[in-house]
Amino acid sequence: MSRPVLVIGNKNYSSWSLRPWLLLRQAGVEFEEVGLLLDTPGFAAEAARHSPTGKVPVLRDGDLVVWDSLAICEYVNERWLEGRGWPAAREQRALARAAAAEMHSGFTALRTQLPMNSRRRPDAYRWDAAAQHDIDRVQALWRDLRGEHGADGEFLFGTFGIVDAMFAPVAIRFDGYGVDVDDTAAAYMQALFALPALRQWRQAAAREAATVAATDSLCQPH
């Protein structure tokens, strides 16, 4: 049987691509990777060849096409992980799904004002109160989940799972923009950054030559 194909954007910028890629790679699932360059004249046409939405990521498994990061993670969980992508306990699964869904649909100010840029290093750029509200909510959520459910490991529910893949780009944002984080967030971020798959992603991102001007311009002090 042929391997699945995951179509992604630039590793430096594509937060949504990172989520299913990290889940697949960390779980040891073999897949082919197709990379498309974001913010280029040919992106829309290329993406439309793979995805009904014209966006990335998208997973192809035989004749099946799955778009949307969270939907891909759910499919990966059922297809290859035998359900291990979510906590075993029903109540914890519900909370993990709620947290993942909140990340998927919320935190608009955070995502807009602190866009994914893995190569970024902190400088004088700052964000407004709406983004700070999102930052505070993320940290409160991490504290609650780690405190109540993470005692058996380093991640939100102990062992690495889908909910951690959903928040991995947020850790990269916090790191690159110099967000002031509490001790719980700092330890959780270090656990994510220590994952072999996330290290591989960030190393590849650092080697990429392509740039997205609107995102890179935020590196300049404001």
Side-chain angles (χ1 to χ4, degrees):
M1 182 177 294
S2 61
R3 295 188 296 178
V5 177
L6 184 67
V7 184
I8 63 173
N10 311 47
K11 287 188 169 72
N12 191 58
Y13 304 105
S14 187
S15 59
W16 294 109
S17 297
L18 168 56
R19 292 169 168 119
W21 188 99
L22 180 60
L23 184 67
L24 283 161
R25 187 70 78 198
Q26 189 63 27
V29 178
E30 293 188 358
F31 64 96
E32 296 182 22
E33 178 184 316
V34 174
L36 306 182
L37 293 179
L38 303 172
D39 198 37
T40 58
F43 173 80
E46 279 296 307
R49 293 180 54 244
H50 300 282
S51 170
T53 65
K55 298 177 181 179
V56 292
V58 60
L59 180 76
R60 299 202 313 268
D61 187 22
D63 294 331
L64 178 66
V65 176
V66 185
W67 62 98
D68 183 273
S69 291
L70 188 52
I72 295 170
C73 288
E74 289 279 16
Y75 179 73
V76 169
N77 184 51
E78 294 181 2
R79 176 77 164 82
W80 293 287
L81 305 188
E82 298 180 343
R84 295 189 304 275
W86 296 116
R90 181 178 60 190
E91 294 82 0
Q92 289 189 339
R93 282 200 307 276
L95 292 173
R97 285 190 167 111
E102 184 177 359
M103 180 66 256
H104 187 266
S105 62
F107 303 114
T108 303
L110 168 61
R111 290 189 281 114
T112 301
Q113 296 182 44
L114 286 73
M116 171 84 162
N117 187 346
S118 184
R119 293 193 294 260
R120 196 185 194 285
R121 294 297 176 265
D123 56 28
Y125 172 75
R126 287 297 176 265
W127 43 91
D128 68 14
Q132 187 61 49
H133 181 272
D134 285 352
I135 290 168
D136 293 343
R137 168 57 188 159
V138 167
Q139 293 195 69
L141 182 59
W142 288 357
R143 284 195 303 272
D144 290 346
L145 296 180
R146 286 285 301 138
E148 294 292 329
H149 308 286
D152 294 334
E154 298 178 295
F155 299 99
L156 295 181
F157 289 83
T159 58
F160 177 79
I162 291 172
V163 66
D164 303 296
M166 292 299 293
F167 279 104
V170 178
I172 292 175
R173 286 174 160 98
F174 285 4
D175 182 52
Y177 289 90
V179 173
D180 185 20
V181 298
D182 61 28
D183 290 345
T184 298
Y188 176 53
M189 288 165 59
Q190 289 307 308
L192 287 169
F193 295 151
L195 289 169
L198 190 53
R199 289 203 306 268
Q200 182 182 355
W201 175 279
R202 299 197 75 185
Q203 288 165 0
R207 294 192 297 268
E208 288 179 343
T211 62
V212 174
T215 298
D216 286 341
S217 68
L218 296 179
C219 293
Q220 302 302 317
H222 286 191

